[in-house]
Amino acid sequence: MGEKVTHKMVSHIEGTIAADWQNLAYHLPLNDKGMIGVKNEIDNIEHSDRGSLVGQCKNMLIAWLKNDEQATVTKLVKALRDMGKNRSATEIEAMREVQEDPVTVESNSSTVAEPKINMNRRVEDAELSKIAGKIGTPWKRFASEQLDISQTEISNAAQKMLPDMNTYNAAIDVFHLWKNRQGDKATVKKLWDLLENGRQGGYLSLDIYEHAFDVKK
């Protein structure tokens, strides 16, 4: 029996338990960063697709498939049964017999060439501005996990998104906090490595920051 999660399975989950997708995210689990890590990713998914439970459910499942190299039908079925969703679990199991292409996700493991600039110089405000303008809703997770910004400071920065919910204002605030604290250690190399950590973690994409530097793919 096939162990790969298929498009039909994802569609079935979207149509049956979309309203309970956050619970499923914890049971899978969505990532290997513990309860706080799962909660952070749930927050990012909510912000990226507001008002659509079906879309949020699909994005969560895709993120799980991307984060977990061992994501299987068995894991999905167990999570559903642990939630008490026995009917959905049984229906997913029945789909194993159907020959269908599995869901494929973009790999985050590929190495990206560093920009062709002096990596040891201090990062410029203009570069931070370009990245802040592209990072979008993952800015919170990046600030917490990579820039070591406290939750209080993140909350204060979030207030700067009002009234139009412009994430740039919040993102540039935490980038400046990081740069000021790092001093001469706020190098292009340091920032590049942190951004790559976010990309490897599955919540940042290269197009968020490649335009800020001279990146040669």
Side-chain angles (χ1 to χ4, degrees):
M1 293 189 295
E3 276 297 313
K4 297 294 186 181
V5 176
T6 66
H7 292 280
K8 186 174 182 179
M9 293 174 185
V10 170
S11 296
H12 181 79
I13 297 298
E14 293 171 25
T16 56
I17 65 166
D20 208 17
W21 72 267
Q22 295 188 22
N23 193 11
L24 178 58
Y26 284 108
H27 278 85
L28 286 169
L30 181 51
N31 58 42
D32 60 358
K33 301 181 184 302
M35 297 288 284
I36 294 177
V38 173
K39 177 63 167 62
N40 287 338
E41 192 140 4
I42 285 174
D43 289 343
N44 290 335
I45 291 170
E46 280 188 306
H47 286 298
S48 66
D49 199 351
R50 293 184 180 182
S52 172
L53 290 175
V54 170
Q56 291 169 2
C57 183
K58 180 177 182 178
N59 289 338
M60 181 276 294
L61 290 169
I62 297 299
W64 168 60
L65 292 170
K66 182 183 292 185
N67 294 338
D68 188 352
E69 293 182 356
Q70 303 301 318
T72 61
V73 177
T74 297
K75 282 190 175 183
L76 179 58
V77 168
K78 183 180 185 302
L80 291 168
R81 293 202 186 283
D82 289 345
M83 292 169 60
K85 303 291 185 181
N86 292 316
R87 179 175 178 179
S88 291
T90 299
E91 291 169 340
I92 292 295
E93 284 185 311
M95 294 177 190
R96 280 171 152 163
E97 301 295 343
V98 179
Q99 295 297 317
E100 185 191 3
D101 291 335
V103 177
T104 57
V105 294
E106 179 184 354
S107 171
N108 293 304
S109 59
S110 59
T111 301
V112 177
E114 291 181 348
K116 303 297 183 180
I117 58 176
N118 179 7
M119 297 293 283
N120 295 317
R121 66 165 173 78
R122 198 163 186 244
V123 68
E124 298 175 0
D125 286 347
E127 291 165 338
L128 294 178
S129 182
K130 288 179 181 179
I131 298 167
K134 293 278 288 185
I135 194 168
T137 54
W139 74 268
K140 283 186 179 181
R141 179 173 176 180
F142 184 73
S144 175
E145 294 184 3
Q146 303 301 328
L147 301 183
D148 199 25
I149 306 298
S150 72
Q151 289 302 312
T152 298
E153 290 167 330
I154 289 173
S155 296
N156 291 338
Q159 294 299 314
K160 298 182 180 180
M161 293 194 299
L162 301 175
D164 57 355
M165 302 306 293
N166 186 343
T167 58
Y168 171 83
N169 295 329
I172 195 63
D173 187 70
V174 296
F175 275 125
H176 283 158
L177 277 174
W178 171 79
K179 181 180 179 181
N180 291 337
R181 286 175 181 167
Q182 291 290 311
D184 291 339
K185 295 180 180 180
T187 62
V188 174
K189 172 64 175 174
K190 178 67 173 178
L191 180 60
W192 179 266
D193 288 345
L194 296 177
L195 290 163
E196 276 290 281
N197 289 342
R199 189 178 71 86
Q200 297 289 341
Y203 61 92
L204 293 185
S205 59
L206 181 60
D207 64 357
I208 289 175
Y209 54 98
E210 65 176 343
H211 69 296
F213 309 104
D214 179 23
V215 176
K216 305 299 183 185
K217 293 185 182 179

